[in-house]
């Protein structure tokens, strides 16, 4: 029997949401190809609607899903875009330039590949089908393939996906909108203006927004513009802001008052103050995201992925330029477009990459970005009216997405999973077999030590300044030293050269600062700025500390190499790896677990 905690953990992961989406897709395929396959289309064409006297508003179930439920999906995308532009990845031009150009390449090249096979033919209007990346599937695949250090790549792909979504929305608005009703369009514009006015007047009554939002959706649907675009517009309009010091202070005071004098009134006041400290945008994302991931998108897949895969349909698909164009657009076009779109801005020095990724990682990410599902299926319904043509395009989406996932997996296996391992904290829970458990070289005068030698407990950390898991451990180690006054920390370099190309330059900068007695100052600075470790960044950090950034490089490299040798001799295979009083630590990389290990080490003395 599955425990509730296990189920909750499953639903919090990208692999969990991807599994639900994949399950809905398989159910749709099985249903459409079962002996009861005729009921699939019949069910989704059932009419459902609302009536007010003689006025009737009715759509079939598939349109309710595609035009209604998916509006919430696009509303969530609008919220994410608004947040990222104002507070997230898109605020930093250096981090935005590369994924933005890559996303543009990932749109243009697939469209060109598709049109090369379909220009002038009946399938020419489907050029938008292979342009979009399914973020949920991509992140799920990254989780499932077990990429060793996915954080910088995830940041890059998330930024790329946001830009990709914006470009796909523009394509839908410009190229897949027809038969406009000007009266309904003016009505929609007036309703949108009313919502903007409420926002400007700072009127935050949810019922008003719900009523106006529903009326806007109906007016947009009647106008001929796809109503999901309204979801984007409304999402972008939602306020997003960083918590102000004043709001944080008042929230803290309200919580303190409640803890001093618990009451229902105090609890309500504290909850309202805490909630007000976080922007409406972030609160809505938190509430809507699970519904989108585990209900809306899977239901959309269930309603649209049910394509018949009998011998006749597969025979037609194999020779269909529409199917071939979609497959090649997703598999080849996305890969080439994103790879070239990444290389060009880097070559022209327009921007930098998060974590300074290597090409093996980027090419794997470019390959899995060919998984086009949700938006691709969405555009199929807009581009084609003929069910037979829709079937060919959907087969192309399924085949192209599957091949892209396999191509990405192969690239990760061949080009990424080499060298050391940047291990997530939970990996430390796994027992290490046939590796030494004793530190090969005791702490000596050449080590970087934080704390006096008289301390009872010594923690030796083998770390990498570019490893995100080392970055997460850094504040935990600071808290441990503050909590355990008889504990000292030793840092030894173990740069994972294959997957972290900036780790060695960062270690050199730390050693250069160490020569001036400022190792720990540089150590803390590097971990606080892990995403910015270019040569210019390192030189700036050194200048701020008043040290020379690159003195005696051969000597410093030898010092780093010595740390690596002692690490390998001690059985270090990834970062972070800890030794407590000379013995390998194999517990969780969290504050309480390491604290327990320190107390046990003290008791053994």
């Amino acid at each position: 029997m599955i425990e509730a905690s296990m189920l909750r953990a499953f639903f919090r992961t990208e692999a969990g949401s991807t599994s639900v989406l994949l399950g809905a897709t398989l159910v749709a395929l099985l249903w459409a190809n079962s002996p009861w396959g005729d009921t699939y289309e019949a069910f989704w064409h059932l009419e459902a609607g609302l009536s007010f006297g003689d006025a009737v508003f009715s759509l079939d179930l598939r349109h309710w899903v595609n035009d209604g439920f998916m509006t919430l999906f696009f509303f969530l995308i609008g919220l994410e875009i608004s947040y990222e532009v104002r507070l997230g990845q898109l605020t930093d031009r250096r981090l935005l330039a590369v994924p933005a150009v890559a996303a543009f390449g990932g749109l243009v090249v697939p469209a060109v590949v598709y049109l090369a096979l379909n220009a002038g033919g009946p399938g020419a209007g489907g050029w938008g089908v292979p342009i979009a990346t399914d973020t949920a599937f991509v992140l799920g695949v990254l989780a499932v393939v077990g990429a060793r250090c996915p954080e910088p790549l995830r940041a890059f792909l998330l930024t790329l996906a946001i830009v990709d979504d914006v470009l796909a929305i523009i394509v839908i608005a410009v190229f897949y909108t027809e038969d406009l009703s000007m009266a309904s369009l003016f009505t929609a514009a007036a309703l949108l203006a009313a919502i903007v006015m409420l926002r400007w007047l700072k009127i935050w009554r949810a019922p008003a927004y719900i009523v106006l939002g529903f009326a806007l959706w109906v007016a947009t649907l009647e106008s001929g513009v796809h109503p999901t675009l309204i979801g984007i517009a409304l999402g972008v309009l939602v306020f997003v802001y960083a918590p102000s010091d004043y709001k944080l202070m008042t929230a803290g005071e309200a919580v303190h008052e409640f803890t001093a004098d618990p009451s229902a009134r105090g609890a309500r006041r504290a909850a309202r103050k805490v909630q007000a400290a976080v922007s409406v945008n972030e609160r809505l994302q938190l509430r809507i995201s699970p519904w989108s991931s585990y209900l809306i998108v899977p239901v959309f897949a269930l309603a649209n992925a049910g394509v018949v895969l009998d011998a006749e349909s597969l025979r037609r698909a194999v020779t269909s330029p529409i199917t071939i164009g979609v497959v090649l657009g997703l598999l080849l076009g996305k890969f080439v477009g994103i790879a070239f779109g990444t290389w060009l801005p880097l070559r022209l020095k327009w921007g930098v990459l998060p974590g300074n990724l290597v090409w093996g990682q980027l090419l794997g990410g470019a390959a899995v970005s060919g998984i086009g599902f949700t938006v691709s299926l969405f555009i199929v319904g807009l581009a084609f009216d003929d069910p037979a043509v829709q079937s060919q395009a959907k087969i192309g989406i399924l085949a192209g997405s599957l091949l892209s996932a396999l191509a990405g997996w192969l690239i990760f296996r061949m080009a990424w999973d080499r060298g050391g391992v940047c291990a997530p904290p939970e990996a430390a829970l796994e027992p290490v077999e046939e590796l030494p458990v004793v530190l090969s070289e005791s702490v000596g005068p050449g080590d970087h030590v934080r704390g006096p030698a008289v301390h009872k407990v010594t923690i030796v950390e083998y770390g990498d300044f570019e490893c995100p898991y080392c970055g997460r451990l850094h504040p935990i180690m600071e808290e441990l030293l503050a909590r355990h006054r008889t504990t000292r920390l030793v840092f030894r370099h173990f740069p994972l050269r294959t997957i972290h190309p900036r780790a060695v330059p960062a270690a050199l900068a730390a050693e250069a600062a160490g020569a001036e007695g400022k190792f720990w100052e540089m150590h803390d600075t590097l971990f606080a700025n892990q995403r910015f470790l270019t040569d210019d960044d390192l030189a700036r950090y050194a200048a701020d500390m008043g040290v020379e950034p690159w003195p005696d490089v051969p000597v410093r490299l030898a010092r780093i190499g010595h740390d690596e040798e002692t690490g390998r001799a001690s059985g270090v295979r990834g970062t972070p790896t800890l030794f407590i009083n000379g013995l390998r630590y194999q517990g969780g990389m969290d504050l309480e677990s390491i604290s327990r290990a320190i107390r046990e080490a003290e008791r053994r003395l």
Side-chain angles (χ1 to χ4, degrees):
M1 183 175 180
I2 300 177
E3 295 182 4
S5 59
M6 295 173 61
L7 195 60
R8 286 194 296 270
F10 171 79
F11 281 114
R12 289 193 189 104
T13 63
E14 280 131 2
S17 61
T18 304
S19 299
V20 174
L21 179 55
L22 181 61
T25 303
L26 292 176
V27 169
L29 289 171
L30 290 173
W31 185 1
N33 291 276
S34 70
W36 308 276
D38 293 342
T39 64
Y40 179 80
E41 288 296 330
F43 175 79
W44 293 111
H45 280 95
L46 289 174
E47 291 286 327
L50 303 171
S51 62
F52 301 93
D54 295 333
V56 177
F57 180 77
S58 179
L59 297 171
D60 66 26
L61 293 181
R62 179 170 288 150
H63 277 91
W64 275 114
V65 172
N66 294 358
D67 298 344
F69 279 14
M70 288 299 286
T71 301
L72 286 175
F73 168 78
F74 282 96
F75 177 71
L76 182 62
I77 291 177
L79 292 174
E80 293 171 349
I81 292 171
S82 178
Y83 178 85
E84 294 296 337
V85 166
R86 297 172 190 175
L87 298 177
Q89 294 274 359
L90 303 188
T91 60
D92 191 326
R93 185 190 62 79
R94 295 195 304 168
L95 291 176
L96 172 61
V98 180
V101 177
F104 184 75
L107 180 145
V108 172
V109 178
V112 170
V113 169
Y114 180 90
L115 287 173
L117 296 171
N118 289 279
W127 61 268
V129 174
I131 68 172
T133 294
D134 192 296
T135 310
F137 264 128
V138 169
L139 294 181
V141 168
L142 285 180
V144 171
V145 298
R148 298 288 189 170
C149 186
E151 292 298 328
L153 183 61
R154 287 180 77 257
F156 174 79
L157 290 179
L158 280 171
T159 307
L160 185 150
I162 292 168
V163 179
D164 182 275
D165 287 337
V166 172
L167 294 175
I169 290 159
I170 293 172
V171 167
I172 292 171
V174 174
F175 297 100
Y176 292 100
T177 295
E178 55 186 20
D179 299 328
L180 291 177
S181 168
M182 298 309 297
S184 297
L185 197 59
F186 283 131
T187 302
L191 290 167
L192 184 60
I195 292 173
V196 173
M197 181 62 69
L198 287 179
R199 183 180 185 272
W200 182 72
L201 293 173
K202 297 183 178 180
I203 298 174
W204 311 120
R205 294 291 180 265
Y209 285 93
I210 292 172
V211 171
L212 287 175
F214 181 74
L216 176 59
W217 177 79
V218 174
T220 307
L221 182 66
E222 294 297 325
S223 72
V225 176
H226 205 277
T228 52
L229 300 179
I230 291 302
I232 291 286
L234 293 178
V236 170
L237 286 174
V238 174
F239 266 119
V240 57
Y241 51 79
S244 66
D245 291 341
Y246 173 76
K247 289 186 176 181
L248 290 174
M249 182 181 67
T250 55
E253 290 176 350
V255 172
H256 179 73
E257 290 175 6
F258 171 73
T259 55
D261 183 20
S263 66
R265 187 184 299 276
R268 182 180 179 185
R269 181 174 181 273
R272 292 176 63 181
K273 292 293 185 181
V274 170
Q275 188 179 56
V278 181
S279 69
V280 179
N281 180 294
E282 294 172 90
R283 299 203 300 269
L284 285 174
Q285 284 195 58
L286 184 65
R287 291 184 179 182
I288 296 175
S289 184
W291 290 97
S292 175
S293 298
Y294 296 103
L295 178 64
I296 294 173
V297 175
V299 169
F300 171 82
L302 185 63
N304 292 273
V307 58
V308 176
L309 299 177
D310 57 18
E312 179 62 22
S313 63
L314 291 175
R315 184 187 64 78
R316 290 178 181 175
V318 168
T319 58
S320 168
I322 295 173
T323 305
I324 297 172
V326 172
V327 172
L328 292 180
L330 292 173
L331 179 63
L332 180 64
K334 275 287 185 183
F335 180 80
V336 173
I338 292 176
F340 180 76
T342 302
W343 174 82
L344 182 64
L346 290 176
R347 178 75 174 179
L348 298 176
K349 299 187 183 301
W350 291 348
V352 297
L353 293 169
N356 299 282
L357 298 163
V358 296
W359 275 105
Q361 298 166 324
L362 291 168
L363 293 178
V368 298
S369 294
I371 302 175
F373 190 76
T374 305
V375 178
S376 294
L377 286 175
F378 188 80
I379 294 177
V380 166
L382 301 177
F384 304 119
D385 295 324
D386 186 347
V389 177
Q390 289 183 356
S391 175
Q392 294 170 23
K394 289 178 180 180
I395 291 174
I397 292 170
L398 295 173
S401 298
L402 180 60
L403 291 173
S404 295
L406 290 174
W409 180 79
L410 288 173
I411 291 173
F412 286 131
R413 285 293 299 271
M414 293 187 296
W416 189 359
D417 193 17
R418 296 179 180 177
V421 177
C422 177
E426 58 269 21
L429 296 173
E430 300 175 2
V432 180
E433 299 179 359
E434 300 180 0
L435 290 176
V437 295
V438 178
L439 190 65
S440 66
E441 182 174 298
S442 300
V443 177
D447 278 305
H448 300 294
V449 185
R450 178 173 269 176
V454 296
H455 280 181
K456 296 180 180 179
V457 178
T458 298
I459 301 177
V460 176
E461 176 190 352
Y462 282 90
D464 173 319
F465 287 114
E466 201 176 351
C467 169
Y469 303 110
C470 293
R472 294 177 188 174
L473 181 63
H474 172 61
I476 294 175
M477 298 305 297
E478 291 186 324
E479 177 65 23
L480 283 168
L481 295 180
R483 177 183 294 189
H484 300 276
R485 299 293 184 177
T486 60
T487 298
R488 63 177 182 161
L489 173 65
V490 176
F491 185 87
R492 290 180 177 175
H493 303 286
F494 200 81
L496 305 179
R497 299 167 185 261
T498 303
I499 60 177
H500 293 155
R502 302 303 304 172
V504 171
L508 284 171
E511 286 299 314
E516 303 292 333
K518 297 182 178 181
F519 174 84
W520 291 103
E521 184 179 348
M522 180 64 79
H523 168 278
D524 296 345
T525 298
L526 294 174
F527 276 128
N529 298 275
Q530 278 192 310
R531 287 161 54 189
F532 304 105
L533 298 177
T534 65
D535 288 346
D536 291 340
D537 294 325
L538 296 175
R540 186 174 69 257
Y541 304 148
D544 291 342
M545 297 178 196
V547 301
E548 183 68 29
W550 317 116
D552 303 323
V553 170
V555 175
R556 309 302 171 201
L557 283 173
R559 170 72 175 78
I560 295 166
H562 178 74
D563 278 358
E564 292 178 281
E565 289 177 8
T566 65
R568 283 190 287 269
S570 303
V572 176
R573 296 296 181 266
T575 57
T577 296
L578 304 181
F579 290 83
I580 299 179
N581 281 356
L583 298 178
R584 178 190 295 276
Y585 170 70
Q586 299 186 37
M589 294 294 179
D590 59 271
L591 181 64
E592 293 306 321
S593 297
I594 303 176
S595 289
R596 285 195 297 271
I598 291 173
R599 289 193 293 269
E600 291 174 4
E602 290 174 337
R603 284 195 294 268
R604 287 196 296 266
L605 295 176

